[in-house]
Amino acid sequence: MSAHCQLTGSKPGFGNNISHSHRRTSRRFDPNVQRKRYWLPGEGRYVRLTLSARAIETVDSIGIEAAVARIRARGGKV
């Protein structure tokens, strides 16, 4: 599963691990992505979304219908 949020579009960031001797190696900063299932009453079905923890809070505040509309406006498939 790729670490990519469907609502906010957050993706992994990249940087370096820096050791005690100051050698640098590449690393990834992954967002906290979860798969969550919501009931979509307008369509009478469940949708399974890949969302970051911050996006889950956004869905709780604006509602699933508005969140799905935002995902579709970004060109995402639901």
Side-chain angles (χ1 to χ4, degrees), residues 1 3-10 30-36 38 49-61:
M1 176 169 99
H4 182 267
C5 177
Q6 289 180 292
L7 182 60
T8 62
S10 63
D30 286 330
N32 184 6
V33 172
Q34 315 288 326
R35 279 184 61 110
K36 195 149 167 61
Y38 290 99
L49 301 175
T50 305
L51 301 172
S52 63
R54 192 174 114 211
I56 291 172
E57 292 177 5
T58 303
V59 170
D60 290 343
S61 65

Side-chain angles (χ1 to χ4, degrees), residues 18-31:
I18 303 180
S19 70
H20 180 69
S21 65
H22 221 65
R23 290 178 60 104
R24 294 163 190 248
T25 55
S26 185
R27 65 159 294 177
R28 246 168 89 129
F29 295 92
D30 286 330

